[in-house]
Amino acid sequence: MVKSLFFFVGFIFIVATNSVSAQSLGRVGSMTDTVTNCTAGTVLMGGGSDVDAAFTWMINKSGGGDFVVIRATGTNAYNSYILGLGPAHSVETFLVNSVALANDSSIVQAIRKAEAVFFAGGNQNDYISYYKGTALGNTLDFLANVKHAPIGGTSAGMAIQGYVYYDGVTNVLSTDVLPDPYQSGTGIHYNDFLHNPFLKKTICDTHFITKGGTTSNGITGRQGRLMTFLSRMIKDSSMTDVKGIACEEKTAICINENGLGMVVGFGKAYFLRQWCAAPETCVVGQPLTWTNGVKLYSITGPGTYTDPPTSSKSVNLNDWTTVAGGNYEYWTVTNGTLTVGQQTGTPVICNPSSVSTIIEDNAINIYPNPTSGLFTIALSDDFATITITDLLGQPLRKIQISQKTTTIQLETNGVYIVNITTKQGTTARKLIVNR
């Protein structure tokens, strides 16, 4: 009876508002908007069966406000489900499946009033191609970073949450990209869609065990694919201290306003972080080799759909070292073969701060990077002190230069940090790979 009433109300709402917003798939709960005090948060859900606790958490973060579901395909099935989980004022689903609709003022203004937003699954490239650079895209940034409404997504809706994301157009498997990381084509994108402050330098992946193929050594899932994405983030964009977050199905991560990522549901969540040096081989047509790889922390959810998120199963995304309820391991790739579950990293000690504190400065350029011995430093100043260290901060060379361009020889293959201070006081720390 209750479900029938929800359907009837939703149907009446569609008819009544058809002239204003034909792409609303219906609204349940109150037919009028409310204004509540919402608190920022992010839900990353791995796909498959939905995790009730994550939606309840979002409703509470919204202050019991108006909850909006956005999708590029599908129905309004989430409406009654979400309304039944907590005191949401209303739940409305919008089908936005074109750039024109993403710029439609009535739809954008309706979504802008939301106190919580959730992206359904589907094809993540639909979300990117329809919403990026549109009025809706700007509204999503406003909701997350100005209004501080909680925003979440499952499957494709999780895959788009990081500052870095894979558009899914090539839909590669681990078995495709471990032998050649560039089989994913131009599908990795940087800093041009959603901007969650706790997901910088971070790419997200979903369905982590159930999809992705089986490698020659029997590893099933998208683990190898995510390792290639991280490798390309380092190689293609000279990023350092790159990170990945992945979820199995029936699993979600709730990231609160302070950056604490708490795991709920049945499966595991994975937090991957670059361990020291960059990949040795990440080029077109050749198998990936990354002997340092990543240090990974995995957390298994509480084993129910309803147990709420707590700090007892969490990673603090401010430092990635304050953790609880899980286990560390190391993943590496050698000649296209992924090895997981290692208990000791190579090297045994790596100081993440020596990588993560690197400051990029457009006035200072280093090229080529990676290099094969010789590299050039180009400055906007005519004097600088250059110190070259290893990844642990041990000084190897110190040079003073008195011209805007200079060439430096590296004798040994490896990954180095180049520290530059000009006479004007401009400083930079940049990572360079010599191979």
Side-chain angles (χ1 to χ4, degrees), residues 169-187:
V169 171
T170 48
N171 195 28
V172 291
L173 307 176
S174 294
T175 48
D176 298 323
V177 286
L178 283 169
D180 179 1
Y182 287 83
Q183 286 295 319
S184 47
T186 58

Side-chain angles (χ1 to χ4, degrees), residues 85-316:
L85 292 174
H89 185 252
S90 71
V91 184
E92 183 171 10
T93 296
F94 287 93
L95 178 67
V96 184
N97 56 8
S98 69
V99 172
L101 287 172
N103 282 314
D104 182 275
S105 60
S106 62
I107 294 176
V108 171
Q109 288 305 311
I111 294 173
R112 189 180 178 90
K113 294 177 182 178
E115 279 76 40
V117 172
F118 189 81
F119 291 94
N123 184 338
Q124 60 251 42
N125 191 56
D126 288 343
Y127 293 125
I128 301 303
S129 60
Y130 296 153
Y131 307 164
K132 186 173 73 174
T134 66
L136 177 56
N138 293 334
T139 292
L140 295 170
D141 238 359
F142 164 80
L143 289 170
N145 298 304
V146 179
K147 190 172 182 178
H148 301 300
I151 293 181
T154 185
S155 188
M158 171 180 168
I160 62 175
Q161 297 289 331
Y163 264 62
V164 185
Y165 61 87
Y166 170 59
D167 63 21
V169 171
T170 48
N171 195 28
V172 291
L173 307 176
S174 294
T175 48
D176 298 323
V177 286
L178 283 169
D180 179 1
Y182 287 83
Q183 286 295 319
S184 47
T186 58
I188 302 173
H189 304 267
Y190 302 86
N191 307 342
D192 64 4
F193 190 45
L194 301 180
H195 298 99
N196 185 309
F198 300 112
L199 296 179
K200 293 179 179 178
K201 294 186 176 182
T202 303
I203 190 167
C204 299
D205 212 346
T206 62
H207 302 279
F208 204 49
I209 300 300
T210 53
K211 296 183 180 181
T214 303
T215 64
S216 59
N217 57 338
I219 298 174
T220 300
R222 288 176 168 173
Q223 299 99 315
R225 184 175 90 160
L226 185 54
M227 290 291 284
T228 70
F229 292 166
L230 293 169
S231 298
R232 287 193 53 185
M233 288 162 63
I234 298 169
K235 173 68 183 297
D236 299 349
S237 294
S238 299
M239 281 189 174
T240 58
D241 194 27
V242 299
K243 304 175 181 74
I245 296 178
C247 280
E248 295 179 4
E249 293 179 357
K250 304 180 183 179
T251 310
I253 302 167
C254 301
I255 306 170
N256 71 14
E257 70 276 15
N258 298 315
L260 188 66
M262 300 166 286
V263 180
V264 292
F266 281 88
K268 284 185 178 180
Y270 303 78
F271 300 83
L272 292 73
R273 185 179 189 183
Q274 177 184 350
W275 182 248
C276 289
E280 291 85 350
T281 305
C282 182
V283 296
V284 175
Q286 294 187 31
L288 176 68
T289 292
W290 191 7
T291 56
N292 292 134
V294 302
K295 184 177 184 179
L296 174 148
Y297 194 74
S298 64
I299 303 174
T300 302
T304 74
Y305 287 115
T306 56
D307 280 9
T310 68
S311 60
S312 64
K313 291 181 174 290
S314 67
V315 172
N316 188 322

